[in-house]
Each structure stands twice: as C-alpha cells, then as structure tokens.
Amino acid sequence: MSSLLFWILAAPAGGALLLLLTPPHMRRTLRWITLGAATASLGIALAVAGAYDRVTGGPQLPFSVPIVPTLGIALDLAVDGWGVPLLLLTALIAVAGTLASWTLNGRDKEFFILLLVLILGVLGVFIAHDLFVFFLFYEIAVLPMYLLIGIWGTSHEVPAGGPFRYVWNHFSIGGRQYAAMKLTLMLLVGSALILVAILALYDAHGRTTFNLLELQKTDFDESLQIGCFLLLWLGFGTLAGVFPFHTWSPDGHASAPTAVSMLHAGVLMKLGAFGVMRVGMVLLPEGARFWIPVVGAVAVVNIVYGALSALGQSDLKYVIAYSSVSHMGVVMLGAATLTPNGWNGAIYQMFAHGVMTALLFAMVGLIYERAHTRAIAKMGGFGKVMPGIAAFFTIACLSSLGLPGTAGFVAELLVFLGAWQGPHPWWALPGILGAFVTAVYALSVARRIFWGPTPSDEAADLTDARRTEWGAPILLGAAILVFGFWPRLALDFIDSTTVEHVRALTSTLVAGHP
C-alpha cells in the first residue's frame, strides 16, 4: 500500500512521457492517453482514501527515497486527512478538465503534456513531507501556467480607467500574454519568499533535514517563527489570492482556456492556502499566534471585497474569478480561527469551492463556444435551448451561495461557527455579509443568462452540451450534491488530522504562555 503515493505521481508523469513519444497528428490518441492518466490518478486517489485509517489519523502510506542524503533531501511522501480529499479533488478536476478540452484545436500535444505536468505538481504538493520537495512540486504546478495561458488563452478588451489609464495600451491590459506574465511574476516573487523561509527553518534545525515531521518537533525561536510565518503567509498567500496580492488571479482566470481555468481556480489556488496551514501554522505556532489578527482581518476583507467586485462585473469569467477571491477568503478565515470547526471548514471549503468553481468554468467554456461572448449583457434566455448547461450552472451557483444540500453550505457553516468560537467573534459578521452578497450576484447572473429576456434571435441557434461535454458537469455536479448531503465522506478524513494539529498547536501555545 505504501507505493500508492508513488503511483499517483507516476500516472500523470508516465502519461506526459507517453505523450512525448506520440506523433502530434494522432490527436485522438493524445486525448485518450491524457484521459487515461487522469483516470488512473482518480482511481489511485480512491484507493488511497480506502486505505487511509480515519481512526488512527496522522500521516499514512509512507514512501521514501533519498535524493541528496548529504543535505537531508528525500522524496518523502505521506498522506494525512487533509491530503486525502484534496487528492480526490485534484484527480476529479483532472478528469473533468481533460473531457472539457476534448474539442481543443491547435498544438494538442504540447497542451496535454503541460496539463499533466501541472496535475503532477499539484498532487505532489499534497503528499510531499519533505519541505524542499514540497517546494519543487509547488513550482512544477505553477510554472506551466505561463505557457498554458500565453499560448492557448484568450485576449479580451478591458476598458481603460483609473490613474494609470494612459499606460493601459502600452501593457496590453486584457491580453493573454499580459495575464500570463503578470501571474508568473507575482507568483515567482511569492515563491522567493517561501524559499527564504524554508531555508531559514532548515538552517535553524541544524541543516540536517527538510522532513516536515522532524521540523514539526523542533522548538524554533519565537522571533524566527514570527519572521518566517510572515514570509510564508505572503508567499503562499499570493497564490491563495490574499488581498491585495490577488490581482493576478482575475486576469489569469479570464484569459486561461477552460481546463486551465478549472485547475487554476479549482486546485491551484488551494496550494497557497494549504501551504499557509500545513507549513506556516503547523510548523510555526508562535508565529501563527502573532500574525493571526492580521490574517483574519485580511481574510474578511477578501470575502467582502471579492463578493462586491464580482457583483460589479460584466464579463462572466470575471464574475467567477472575483467570486474565487471571496471564497478563498472564507478558507483563510477558517484557518485564522485556530479552532477545530474553523480548520475543518477551511479544508472542506477548499474541496467544495474547487468542485463548484471548476463546474462554473466548465459551463462558461461551453457557453462561450456557442455564444462567442462572455458579456452578460449580450446573454439571455439560454435556458430554453441549453437546459442541461443551465441546470449544472445553477447547481454550482447554489453551492457558491451556500444552499443547504450542497457542499458549499457545509464548508461555510463550519467556518462561520469556527469564527464565532475563535478569538475574534466579529469576523463572522463580514463573512456572513459576503455570503449574502454572493447570493445576490450568483442568482442574478444565473437568472439573467438563462431565464431573462433574450437580447436577440441568435439564442435560437444555440445547442445544449453534447457527447464528451457532459462528462465534466456530471462528475462535478454529482460531487457537489453527494458531498453536500453526505459531508462525512470528506469530514471524517479532515477531522482526524485537524484534531491532531489543533491539539499540538494549543499545547505549544499554552506551554509557551503559561
């Protein structure tokens, strides 16, 4: 069983190698290889979930191979209760994203290779227990985004405005190259901060190991913890869309092709939040305690700002992009509570938001392929000709606003309970306000696009999803409902690790502050 984690990485890596050997003109074969690799990852993720002992909890299914023994670097793999649902999320979106890319036309081979490399990096982050390898997988997940957006993305017009409107055209605001470069530069700056913190912790431990479990046993100096936690929060937080370092995200979402948007919002942003919690808060409890008031305050700004920004957008992809900023604020709010309910809610929100936003972007891709526009004002009455797309889009919107019976409700309920029980109960109030604003724009957008008046006769020529296009909505829509009605499927895994980490964090803080 310990080799399961090796094989879950080998599946996308082997698929990418097979694609390298496949001639570009064999387009159908390229798709089936990618789908096979993604499906294998999903199958192995399910096997990992089945093999994980939720009663025992903690890291399980270890796999270790030394890489640079003299520096203490090893391919240390293990999965805990947080990692299990996130592995399932990644593999599920990988399958859905591959199906959503079935009609891709242009440089298919390169696209699917980069897609599998991105999936490899994301899977690696959730199971790496060596900080150096963790960082390598993190970079593997981030860097393909530049090419995936810069080559296969779309450009769109963004009206000039604000004090910098005179240089708008100079930087090609709205262009896919601009979005790809902005994303890459901002995330690379964040990566530099993360690397500094990792090396500082390695040095403080005596330069013997990068192993997370060993570092977790170390009582780092309080001043070092405070400095390193800030670096980790800023570095990982940039990827998590933390305000005001979120600005790369809406542009990246809007310009990315459908499958990349699904992975970008569905799992890539989760790496940042996962890093803040798994590395920052677990390894550096004193640093977390010092910065928690700031982390929580910024999180509630994220929630309200992201929701209000989504409310004011006219481009459908930007609505979902700013919605993701708001929902990632919910994740960070749950993390900032330092309570079992808050942390359970934060991890569950990663899963719920990942499935929901991937479904939304899949539906936007189908709408755009048919209507050739993302402008909400040019849409209306689509529900009459594409009832299936309308139904799945509405399910995702209902999960976004936290309707009972959807995965989004479970996540937000736990986070708001944790916020109310935490050191700053007032955090729950702007969080609930953000949920209210989310309901306003989610229902408004769904009504206007599918049930509102048709602006022209063009809607009569549109069609519903066909053949492989049904794959992504069925998989993701079913997940929203199944995990909404039966949250224990994920919560039993999550809670087994949350209890352990909160107990260790609390005991450390109490010991340090009698």
Side-chain angles (χ1 to χ4, degrees):
M1 284 295 184
S2 62
S3 62
L4 278 175
L5 299 183
F6 168 79
W7 287 112
I8 201 170
L9 298 180
L17 289 175
L18 278 176
L19 290 176
L20 280 173
L21 302 174
T22 305
H25 67 271
M26 299 177 66
R27 300 179 61 209
R28 193 170 185 82
T29 303
L30 295 171
R31 283 156 174 73
W32 281 109
I33 291 174
T34 308
L35 182 60
T39 305
S41 296
L42 179 58
I44 299 169
L46 290 170
V48 168
Y52 189 85
D53 186 348
R54 288 167 286 183
V55 177
T56 304
Q60 297 181 26
L61 307 178
F63 178 88
S64 183
V65 175
I67 299 177
V68 187
T70 54
L71 297 178
I73 301 174
L75 182 64
D76 287 329
L77 306 178
V79 66
D80 59 17
W82 290 358
V84 171
L86 295 175
L87 287 179
L88 288 170
L89 170 70
T90 304
L92 185 67
I93 296 179
V95 174
T98 302
L99 292 171
S101 305
W102 210 258
T103 57
L104 178 77
N105 187 18
R107 305 185 69 173
D108 309 26
K109 177 176 178 175
E110 293 88 345
F111 177 87
F112 286 117
I113 289 174
L114 290 170
L115 195 68
L116 288 178
V117 170
L118 190 158
I119 293 165
L120 168 66
V122 174
L123 291 170
V125 168
F126 293 138
I127 59 176
H129 272 61
D130 180 287
L131 262 186
F132 192 84
V133 174
F134 181 102
F135 181 76
L136 288 181
F137 279 123
Y138 181 87
E139 290 301 296
I140 290 171
V142 168
L143 291 178
M145 293 293 292
Y146 174 77
L147 294 174
L148 287 166
I149 295 175
I151 297 175
W152 292 275
T154 57
S155 298
H156 51 280
E157 184 179 352
V158 178
F164 302 106
R165 61 184 179 276
Y166 299 108
V167 295
W168 212 261
N169 294 330
H170 177 72
F171 286 102
S172 302
I173 307 296
R176 65 174 185 260
Q177 287 82 10
Y178 165 81
M181 184 59 72
K182 182 179 182 180
L183 177 152
T184 304
L185 291 178
M186 291 190 71
L187 295 186
L188 282 179
V189 171
S191 295
L193 299 178
I194 296 168
L195 183 59
V196 170
I198 288 174
L199 294 178
L201 295 175
Y202 173 71
D203 182 70
H205 186 270
R207 304 184 183 184
T208 57
T209 184
F210 284 95
N211 186 274
L212 266 171
L213 299 179
E214 293 300 319
L215 294 174
Q216 198 171 321
K217 300 173 185 176
T218 306
D219 185 16
F220 293 109
D221 180 74
E222 183 176 352
S223 60
L224 177 69
Q225 291 196 39
I226 291 172
C228 286
F229 183 88
L230 178 62
L231 293 176
L232 292 170
W233 177 61
L234 292 174
F236 286 122
T238 301
L239 181 57
V242 167
F243 181 89
F245 309 109
H246 68 285
T247 57
W248 63 270
S249 181
D251 291 323
H253 280 90
S255 297
T258 299
V260 179
S261 290
M262 293 167 67
L263 285 161
H264 175 183
V267 292
L268 201 67
M269 295 181 76
K270 311 304 178 290
L271 301 187
F274 183 80
V276 171
M277 295 181 68
R278 184 65 189 88
V279 181
M281 294 181 173
V282 173
L283 283 188
L284 308 171
E286 292 286 352
R289 181 192 62 82
F290 182 87
W291 288 109
I292 276 307
V294 177
V295 175
V298 172
V300 297
V301 171
N302 256 73
I303 295 171
V304 178
Y305 165 81
L308 291 174
S309 296
L311 184 63
Q313 299 302 311
S314 58
D315 183 303
L316 185 54
K317 262 200 169 184
Y318 271 102
V319 173
I320 304 170
Y322 278 105
S323 170
S324 292
V325 172
S326 179
H327 283 93
M328 289 306 297
V330 175
V331 173
M332 295 309 300
L333 174 60
T337 66
L338 302 183
T339 63
N341 278 331
W343 278 23
N344 282 343
I347 301 297
Y348 205 93
Q349 174 72 350
M350 292 187 204
F351 181 88
H353 174 256
V355 175
M356 174 269 295
T357 198
L359 178 55
L360 283 172
F361 276 118
M363 295 301 94
V364 172
L366 294 179
I367 294 169
Y368 182 76
E369 285 181 8
R370 287 154 172 76
H372 306 294
T373 183
R374 299 199 310 250
I376 298 171
K378 296 181 180 179
M379 302 180 193
F382 287 4
K384 299 175 184 177
V385 291
M386 47 177 77
I389 293 175
F392 284 108
F393 188 94
T394 303
I395 288 172
C397 286
L398 294 176
S399 182
S400 177
L401 61 86
L403 182 76
T406 64
F409 169 76
V410 179
E412 292 189 1
L413 177 64
L414 288 170
V415 168
F416 295 150
L417 280 175
W420 192 254
Q421 297 164 349
H424 304 281
W426 68 268
W427 284 345
L429 300 179
I432 293 170
L433 173 63
F436 171 76
V437 178
T438 299
V440 173
Y441 71 72
L443 294 176
S444 175
V445 167
R447 181 200 61 79
R448 188 166 183 177
I449 294 173
F450 297 106
W451 319 117
T454 306
S456 69
D457 295 331
E458 296 177 4
D461 299 328
L462 304 180
T463 61
D464 209 351
R466 299 186 299 267
R467 298 187 295 276
T468 56
E469 292 174 339
W470 287 111
I474 289 173
L475 282 173
L476 300 173
I480 288 175
L481 297 176
V482 169
F483 286 92
F485 282 100
W486 196 2
R488 284 193 60 183
L489 281 175
L491 275 178
D492 283 352
F493 293 106
I494 297 169
D495 189 61
S496 67
T497 293
T498 294
V499 170
E500 175 188 344
H501 286 326
V502 171
R503 186 185 298 120
L505 183 145
T506 303
S507 63
T508 301
L509 294 180
V510 170
H513 295 79

